[in-house]
């Protein structure tokens, strides 16, 4: 009789200066994890770039997932947006890029940097500070390049995300919930609205007071909507 599964908590790593790990590798990992965990297809959720990964996973591995939740994301890869989709708010991006980079080997400096960025985006700075500190603590080593890659998602932003997947969104056949903040200046709400239009039967939930992050007061309602979505898929 086999014993219980043992999780080592180790992932494949890549050189942050020259990442060779693609968005589709991440999608394949999600599908493989769903299969190893057992219990049938999983409800997959992703926020931001994670939402891009979730879309690709649902398209490339349709049997692995029973439902999909996409939060604050868009249907094209990092880089230039499609002409019909609203791009990042220019004034907000200018403020973000004008903000001096921290000493990536200094935990407190990194946490402060994250808090300042969240304030520019309209998110809760203290929540962002706490998340950045957790990411810093769990990163194996203090090398600035590695800390920067983890904190800013630089590995994701430099991925080769071809081929495009937006045109395949009508192929998604699982119940889908799209959640987007009305005040999102990074991926404006039109991106979520487009996803909801292009995935058959998708439900759109716009959070009027939210920006790029999911605010704490909305977590319960979003979780309930996800559970309801999941129950329709079972």
């Amino acid at each position: 009789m086999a014993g219980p599964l043992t999780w080592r908590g180790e992932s494949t790593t890549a050189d942050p200066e020259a990442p060779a790990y693609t968005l589709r590798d991440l999608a394949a990992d999600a599908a493989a994890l769903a299969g190893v965990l057992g219990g049938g297809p999983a409800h997959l959720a992703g926020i931001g770039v994670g939402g891009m990964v979730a879309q690709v996973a649902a398209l490339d591995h349709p049997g692995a997932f029973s439902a999909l939740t996409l939060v604050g994301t868009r249907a094209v890869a990092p880089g230039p947006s499609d002409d019909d989709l609203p791009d990042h708010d220019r004034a907000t991006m200018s403020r973000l890029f004008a903000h001096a980079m921290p000493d990536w080997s200094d935990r407190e400096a990194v946490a402060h940097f994250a808090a300042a960025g969240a304030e520019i985006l309209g998110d809760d700075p203290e929540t962002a500070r706490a998340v950045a500190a957790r990411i810093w603590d769990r990163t194996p080593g203090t090398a600035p390049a590695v800390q920067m890659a983890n904190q800013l998602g630089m590995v994701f932003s430099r991925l080769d995300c071809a081929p495009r997947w937006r045109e395949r969104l009508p192929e998604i056949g699982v119940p889908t919930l799209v959640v987007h903040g009305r005040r999102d200046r990074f991926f404006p709400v039109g991106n979520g609205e487009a996803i909801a239009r292009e995935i058959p039967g998708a439900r759109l939930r716009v959070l009027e007071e939210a920006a790029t992050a999911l605010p704490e007061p909305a977590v319960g309602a979003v979780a309930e909507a996800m559970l309801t979505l999941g129950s329709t898929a079972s």
Side-chain angles (χ1 to χ4, degrees):
M1 181 176 178
L5 289 172
T6 300
W7 302 102
R8 299 184 62 189
E10 297 178 356
S11 300
T12 300
T13 59
D15 179 355
E17 299 293 344
Y21 199 61
T22 71
L23 185 145
R24 282 186 159 76
D25 289 326
L26 293 170
D29 282 351
L33 179 61
V36 170
L37 291 175
H43 184 150
L44 179 62
I47 183 169
V49 172
M52 299 176 185
V53 173
Q55 293 170 67
V56 172
L59 287 165
D60 288 0
H61 309 276
F65 306 106
S66 60
L68 191 62
T69 295
L70 306 171
V71 184
T73 190
R74 70 181 189 185
V76 294
S81 186
D82 288 351
D83 290 341
D84 65 322
L85 297 178
D87 206 348
H88 310 302
D89 178 73
R90 290 186 179 181
T92 299
M93 298 305 290
S94 294
R95 291 180 64 198
L96 282 174
F97 284 114
H99 195 60
M101 290 288 180
D103 174 358
W104 294 102
S105 65
D106 183 331
R107 182 181 187 274
E108 292 308 312
V110 170
H112 177 76
F113 175 80
E119 192 165 14
I120 291 171
L121 290 169
D123 296 324
D124 178 39
E126 292 311 309
T127 298
R129 183 188 301 276
V131 170
R134 287 201 303 270
I135 293 172
W136 202 97
D137 288 341
R138 76 185 186 208
T139 300
T142 59
V146 175
Q147 287 289 345
M148 182 179 179
N150 274 12
Q151 294 285 348
L152 292 187
M154 293 297 286
V155 172
F156 295 150
S157 69
R158 294 174 63 179
L159 287 175
D160 176 5
C161 298
R164 284 170 55 90
W165 71 87
R166 183 182 179 190
E167 291 76 12
R168 295 180 58 204
L169 289 181
E171 299 174 22
I172 294 179
V174 297
T176 301
L177 173 67
V178 180
V179 180
H180 217 104
R182 178 74 70 190
R183 300 181 180 182
D184 191 338
R185 287 170 279 187
F186 194 80
F187 291 141
V189 67
N191 289 281
E193 292 170 342
I195 292 172
R197 285 195 305 270
E198 294 169 25
I199 296 178
R203 305 177 190 178
L204 175 64
R205 189 183 189 100
V206 176
L207 305 178
E208 297 296 333
E209 303 301 318
T212 61
L214 192 62
E216 186 63 33
V219 169
V222 171
E224 183 177 351
M226 290 176 66
L227 291 171
T228 300
L229 185 75
S231 67
T232 64
S234 59

